[in-house]
Amino acid sequence: MYKKLSAAALSLALLAACGDEAAKPAQAPLACDIPLAAQSVRNSIIDTLTREAKAFARSDNRQFIDADKVIAAATQLAVRLDNAQETREGNEALCRADLSIQIPNDIWTAAESGSPLIYGQTAIRELVAGKIMGSNLAHEGNTFRTTLRYLPQADGSITFKDNTPAHTAQILSAALLPYGVKSMVVIDGRAVSKEEAVKLLSAETYPEPPEAQPAPEDILENNAAAHSEGVPAAEDDGVPGTEAEILQPGSSGQAEPPALAQSELDSARIQNQRAEADITRIWSRLERGVQQSILDEQRGWLQKKQQDCLRASAQADNPAHAEYLQLQCDTRMTRERIQYLRSYAID
């Protein structure tokens, strides 16, 4: 009798549990195809291009760039999101869509013509190819493509699930910056047209700025700081020249908001752009066979740099400080990598 009662009680409990599960409302599908999604991406890109163009114009003592031209070009980008659909990553539901950004043909052509005055002998296509290596961003002509991961919000906006929009905006910023070259520039105290300035550069009467060299004491200080703080080094991934990135904002090991001046942030942005141009130029000078032999290694270094500098920026307490730490980390690791790649270059 007791066993029968126990079995009946168990059956009732199971039925109640099934009833509770059935009573739970099914999760509503995500509204991935929303009109404001592409506009959110567009706004993010315009904000980044505006900031980068103004920073470069303030810091460039040659005064070659008209920031307003770059900002105007940003507003003419054709941004599209296609094939938006819900997907799952683990237990999380989110949206995915194919993102494409096209630079108008006339703007792209003008940027290519002004590129020698900003990036020297490194063509924009080469610069972009070096920057997107190891990422999910593809580049064909004047069109950029990638996959966007996001979550729709109640107000019709979206929240990005990774740094794809920010990374894409940085690439577009580098590509569009030469478009802002003024129609008349001053060289050696003489006003010349943009076309004449490019000819002067090609004739080597107006040489490229010297490649930025990392100061040996900076590298030594960084290494010494890491050991003195007793911070364990990150695990080496076996790629030469990709030592662990360690940044210590304070002796306590905790990031404290610094009194960061706008000029310091602007300078960090410019130094990072120059370092990126330098490493692209070094890579383009390598023999094709050498490039192929170290291509996987280079991709591994790019991924490690992104991860290390993301950790470095996470120590900050405000967005400006986070960007500053990320730029410092990126510039230093890029310059260290330049020294390594020079061992393969043919003088």
Side-chain angles (χ1 to χ4, degrees), residues 10 33 41 43 49 64 88 94 127 156 170 179 196 198 240 261 266 276 281 292 321 336:
L10 180 59
D33 191 8
V41 177
N43 291 342
L49 284 167
F64 279 4
R88 299 195 69 86
L94 51 83
L127 182 72
Q170 291 286 341
Y179 174 76
E196 182 65 22
V198 171
D266 290 345
E276 290 289 346
R281 184 162 50 249
Q292 291 298 322
H321 189 206
E336 290 173 355

Side-chain angles (χ1 to χ4, degrees), residues 9-22:
L10 180 59
S11 298
L12 289 173
L14 291 173
L15 287 172
C18 292
D20 290 341
E21 290 295 326

Side-chain angles (χ1 to χ4, degrees), residues 292-338:
Q292 291 298 322
S293 68
I294 63 173
L295 184 58
D296 289 341
E297 176 187 310
Q298 185 72 3
R299 287 172 175 163
W301 171 78
L302 284 166
Q303 292 174 351
K304 178 177 173 59
K305 181 176 72 165
Q306 184 178 23
Q307 293 168 359
D308 286 354
C309 295
L310 185 62
R311 285 197 295 267
S313 66
Q315 300 178 66
D317 285 346
N318 60 72
H321 189 206
E323 182 184 359
Y324 181 74
L325 290 180
Q326 189 275 333
L327 290 169
Q328 276 195 323
C329 165
D330 190 289
T331 300
R332 178 160 62 82
M333 292 188 71
T334 299
R335 287 177 174 171
E336 290 173 355
R337 186 66 177 176
I338 287 171

Side-chain angles (χ1 to χ4, degrees), residues 278-292:
D278 288 343
I279 197 169
T280 302
R281 184 162 50 249
I282 290 293
W283 180 265
S284 67
R285 291 175 181 171
L286 300 180
E287 291 182 343
R288 174 65 66 177
V290 173
Q291 290 180 346
Q292 291 298 322

Side-chain angles (χ1 to χ4, degrees), residues 7 24 85 177 205 272 277 299:
K24 291 182 179 178
Q85 56 187 314
L177 190 62
T205 57
N272 185 252
R299 287 172 175 163

Side-chain angles (χ1 to χ4, degrees), residues 202-219:
S202 300
E204 297 184 352
T205 57
Y206 180 60
E208 304 175 37
E211 296 178 355
Q213 302 290 334
E217 61 269 23
D218 290 342
I219 299 176

